[in-house]
Amino acid sequence: MKLVVQVRLLPTPEQAAALEATLRAVNDAATWVAVLAHDQRVFRNYDLRRHAYGQIKDDYGLAAQAAQHVVKKVTDAYATLHANVRNGNVGRSGSARRERALAKPIVFRPGAAQSFDDRCLSWQMDACTVSIWTTRGRMKNVAFTASADQLQTLAAYRKGESDLLYRDGRWFLIATCDLPDVPVRTPNGFTGVDLGIANLATTSGGVRHSGKGLNAVRHRHRELRRRLQAKQTKSAKRLLKRRRRAEARFAANTNHTIAKQIVTEATRTGQGIALEDLQGIRDRVRLRKPQRVTLHSWSFHQLGRFIAYKAARAGVAVVYVDPAYTSQGCSACGHVDKKNRPDQETFRCTSCGFAEHADVNAARNIAARGVTSWAVSHAA
Ligand SMILES: [Zn+2]
């Protein structure tokens, strides 16, 4: 399985200047190639390389590999744009939005990510440094920081290209790791996981992971946004962008922690994990809390993804179940009734009298569906 590891670089001022000049050069070159591609209607890698390769090497001082990566970056960006156009993601045929998207060539930011392969970037794991090609020569001993876990993964499984990028005043390398598949153990029952807003995740075992911290950060951010949006100045916009990223980082950290605890517990008990199939989550959440949809749906998906890949690494079985009526159905007798759930937190069955925290009851339903789903798919 593929895993992405992001480490922060800690370059000296001299190294940082070289990295900055390099990213600027490759992205200027990419923007130039993008104009060429757009004007000549040449979008295939092979053709574009024939047109542009020599010139970007000479004009922008790029090494051979860097020049190739620049061309690939441009063809990939156009392939994505054209796929989006085909799939109707940038408006209908003839719409102003679509016309606009196709009228101008793609532009690359000076700090946009650039791929470096093993010839341009080497890792010294023991020293926690990298040696990287720049337009000012090879920079050696560029320090990076990583957790013990990340270091181990990088040392054992890093493979292929890494992306260098500059964001919010920080330098990052994003490395791809190719981990061996761990065989999935036959589960001894299932833990159900209910995703929500007040509680980000609740397990059928009764563990509730509160969304309090995250919701407080989001609330503070909303307040700040309201004040800054009125201003419309450049610095206000920059600050907003930084805050948005900080919030996303906080959410990702929270999701990582929750996913880790859920998978660790499943590993300990030998259980599998049953997750809601999130295809319909947007609609389901919209019904409950209209204003929070966009804020939360990506976070739900992220938590689901984190659980799935941590489970895969640990050989824990994961099944996806239909979440319909998991919040209204009684996990003790199966009776489904809206009145079973008088408020956000309470579940009390109108038929058998079973009472439980509403999220725990939902998680128990998800667990039961997980058991059924596993039994059906492994019947043979
Ligand atoms: Zn009941």
Side-chain angles (χ1 to χ4, degrees), residues 139-157:
M139 286 291 140
K140 289 183 176 163
N141 305 320
V142 183
F144 69 86
T145 60
S147 69
D149 203 25
Q150 285 180 318
L151 279 178
Q152 217 171 27
T153 308
L154 282 171
Y157 306 115

Side-chain angles (χ1 to χ4, degrees), residues 330 332-335 349 351-354:
C330 173
C333 77
H335 177 64
C349 180
S351 174
C352 76
F354 173 78

Side-chain angles (χ1 to χ4, degrees), residues 42-53 71 75:
V42 174
F43 298 112
R44 289 198 324 189
N45 193 309
Y46 175 82
D47 301 334
L48 202 52
R49 203 155 78 193
R50 216 156 40 89
H51 275 69
Y53 183 67
V71 173
T75 47

Side-chain angles (χ1 to χ4, degrees), residues 92 94-101:
R92 272 172 301 138
S95 70
R97 186 167 156 231
R98 184 160 169 168
E99 294 295 307
R100 227 175 15 249

Side-chain angles (χ1 to χ4, degrees), residues 109-358:
R109 286 182 297 107
Q114 171 80 3
S115 294
F116 286 76
D117 60 30
D118 286 349
R119 283 166 295 185
C120 304
L121 172 71
S122 62
W123 297 71
Q124 292 78 48
M125 299 308 302
D126 292 338
C128 279
T129 60
V130 294
S131 154
I132 186 168
W133 170 86
T134 75
T135 48
R136 296 183 182 172
R138 189 111 186 164
M139 286 291 140
K140 289 183 176 163
N141 305 320
V142 183
F144 69 86
T145 60
S147 69
D149 203 25
Q150 285 180 318
L151 279 178
Q152 217 171 27
T153 308
L154 282 171
Y157 306 115
R158 193 195 59 77
K159 208 172 188 182
E161 294 167 3
S162 303
D163 282 355
L164 172 72
L165 64 101
Y166 183 71
R167 197 168 56 206
D168 298 338
R170 303 162 179 213
W171 290 96
F172 296 98
L173 276 176
I174 297 176
T176 310
C177 296
D178 201 354
L179 275 62
D181 288 332
V182 178
V184 175
R185 279 187 304 278
T186 302
N188 176 22
F190 274 84
T191 298
V193 180
D194 176 68
L195 303 177
I197 290 166
N199 293 305
L200 297 176
T202 303
T203 69
S204 49
V207 181
R208 297 203 298 270
H209 298 275
S210 166
K212 233 183 234 167
L214 188 54
N215 288 332
V217 167
R218 284 183 171 145
H219 182 72
R220 273 205 304 278
H221 179 219
R222 264 204 301 280
E223 292 299 308
L224 182 74
R225 189 166 53 203
R226 203 163 295 148
R227 270 182 289 138
L228 289 177
Q229 261 166 356
K231 284 193 181 170
Q232 283 294 334
T233 61
K234 221 174 183 178
S235 70
K237 278 183 190 157
R238 213 165 30 232
L239 184 59
L240 262 177
K241 203 172 181 182
R242 231 181 6 241
R243 286 295 315 168
R244 201 155 41 230
R245 290 224 175 97
E247 182 187 319
R249 272 200 302 275
F250 188 85
N253 278 339
T254 307
N255 282 338
H256 265 301
T257 308
I258 294 172
K260 192 169 180 181
Q261 284 174 13
I262 289 172
V263 172
T264 303
E265 181 63 11
T267 308
R268 193 183 66 76
T269 57
Q271 290 181 309
I273 295 173
L275 291 172
E276 298 165 74
D277 183 348
L278 293 177
Q279 293 302 351
I281 193 109
R282 218 162 237 280
D283 304 322
R284 195 166 66 95
V285 176
R286 180 176 291 136
L287 290 176
R288 284 204 301 229
K289 306 268 179 191
Q291 76 282 21
R292 293 181 176 172
V293 178
T294 49
L295 222 54
H296 291 277
S297 67
W298 70 265
S299 186
F300 282 135
H301 283 93
Q302 186 183 58
L303 179 54
R305 268 203 320 278
F306 287 178
I307 292 173
Y309 93 70
K310 284 181 202 296
R313 280 183 74 180
V316 170
V318 172
V319 296
Y320 294 90
V321 305
D322 179 1
Y325 302 111
T326 44
S327 59
Q328 294 171 18
C330 173
S331 62
C333 77
H335 177 64
V336 176
D337 187 348
K338 247 187 204 164
K339 295 196 202 88
N340 282 346
R341 195 169 169 193
D343 60 57
Q344 182 66 32
E345 292 198 346
T346 317
F347 184 92
R348 201 180 302 110
C349 180
T350 56
S351 174
C352 76
F354 173 78
E356 181 53 277
H357 189 285

